[in-house]
Amino acid sequence: MLDEKACASSRILVAPSILSANFGRLQEEVNAIQNAGADWLHIDVMDGHFVPNFSFGWVVLQNLQTTLPLDIHLMVQNVPFFVEHFVPFAPLYISFHIETENHPRRVIAQLRKAGISPAIALCPQTSLESLEYLIEEIDMVLLMSVEPGFGGQKLLPIVLRKAERLKKILEMRNPSCKIQMDGGIHNENIESIKNAGVDVVVAGSYVFHANDYRKAISSLQV
Ligand code: DX5
Ligand code: ZN
């Protein structure tokens, strides 16, 4: 007999990254992707230390209007400092990189206390073993499918195998924990990403460089 639960699969959620938006008219860009059916808004924060690029800090959110849930991806050193400044924007998730944080449990507690879902991000080469003693404590794992720092790179297919292995681990240890994939995602690799067990995708250049945002977003909501 078929296991109904195993067969039921919900559609992929899409979180466009404003990193690829036109910052000269950021509010219009955010309105446009909201109207085009985006699920979340992905905010890529880069400090020029953890990654060789600088994007923006919390100031960019100060006057930005959106009803989309905020999904903040911190690519920074000194994670607790940044968390403190993003808490007032009441994001749904904040993800931080395990590679840069010596005391991830403290950050998880800081996020829980603020009512924010904690997520841990892993660079492509970082092993799933790094989650061994934390996996039950987080609500999402962000798998980088490119080296963090820049939009517009090509997805590393090896990360699909990593997602498959993570999915198996989560089924046993934290079934409600989501898998997010970030980097190089478009309409031609979305099926294999979904088949690997991914729940949420981040898409920067594919969405923001498209002529039709709605068409681009819906092509990923498989
Ligand atoms: C890269 C960022 C990504 C990036 C994705 O460090 O975390 O969110 O903006 O951009 P694309 O979809 O262009 O690879
Ligand atoms: Zn990101």
Side-chain angles (χ1 to χ4, degrees):
M1 196 177 126
L2 285 173
D3 180 342
E4 260 183 49
K5 219 172 146 201
C7 288
S9 64
S10 46
R11 75 156 173 82
I12 293 255
L13 298 178
V14 176
S17 166
I18 62 166
L19 189 65
S20 297
N22 179 338
F23 272 72
R25 43 186 185 81
L26 186 58
Q27 183 63 61
E28 282 169 54
E29 291 274 74
V30 169
N31 294 346
I33 60 126
Q34 186 174 312
N35 295 334
D39 295 294
W40 300 351
L41 191 63
H42 189 78
I43 311 291
D44 281 311
V45 181
M46 303 178 182
D47 66 351
H49 295 282
F50 176 63
V51 288
N53 193 10
F54 184 89
S55 58
F56 45 75
W58 47 90
V59 174
V60 84
L61 294 181
Q62 259 161 22
N63 294 304
L64 204 63
Q65 306 292 321
T66 184
T67 56
L68 289 172
L70 299 179
D71 168 39
I72 297 178
H73 177 191
L74 298 179
M75 286 162 276
V76 301
Q77 293 175 357
N78 199 358
V79 173
F81 167 78
F82 280 83
V83 166
E84 200 182 309
H85 282 88
F86 280 104
V87 161
F89 301 99
L92 185 62
Y93 288 87
I94 290 185
S95 53
F96 63 96
H97 276 262
I98 196 73
E99 299 88 355
T100 182
E101 183 48 52
N102 290 330
H103 307 289
R105 263 192 185 74
R106 287 196 186 129
V107 177
I108 292 168
Q110 185 186 11
L111 290 167
R112 290 274 183 218
K113 197 170 165 214
I116 298 164
S117 283
I120 290 184
L122 305 184
C123 288
Q125 81 285 358
T126 303
S127 165
L128 294 175
E129 299 297 310
S130 60
L131 298 174
E132 173 68 18
Y133 301 105
L134 293 164
I135 198 108
E136 284 89 358
E137 296 175 36
I138 54 178
D139 293 343
M140 186 164 76
V141 178
L142 185 166
L143 296 180
M144 285 304 308
S145 38
V146 298
E147 287 293 349
F150 301 92
Q153 303 178 76
K154 205 168 172 297
L155 177 135
L156 298 161
I158 191 83
V159 181
L160 298 181
R161 305 289 82 78
K162 194 178 186 180
E164 285 167 5
R165 286 193 293 120
L166 175 59
K167 180 77 181 168
K168 289 202 179 96
I169 297 168
L170 290 175
E171 274 165 4
M172 286 183 291
R173 295 182 55 186
N174 186 356
S176 63
C177 180
K178 289 189 181 342
I179 302 178
Q180 181 175 51
M181 194 166 278
D182 184 357
I185 293 166
H186 50 71
N187 61 331
E188 283 170 24
N189 54 24
I190 192 67
E191 281 297 339
S192 51
I193 290 166
K194 185 182 168 84
N195 292 340
V198 170
D199 305 288
V200 188
V201 296
V202 176
S205 47
Y206 176 68
V207 169
F208 282 102
H209 297 173
N211 293 326
D212 184 339
Y213 290 179
R214 177 172 291 278
K215 205 170 146 198
I217 291 168
S218 67
S219 74
L220 304 179
Q221 288 170 326
V222 294

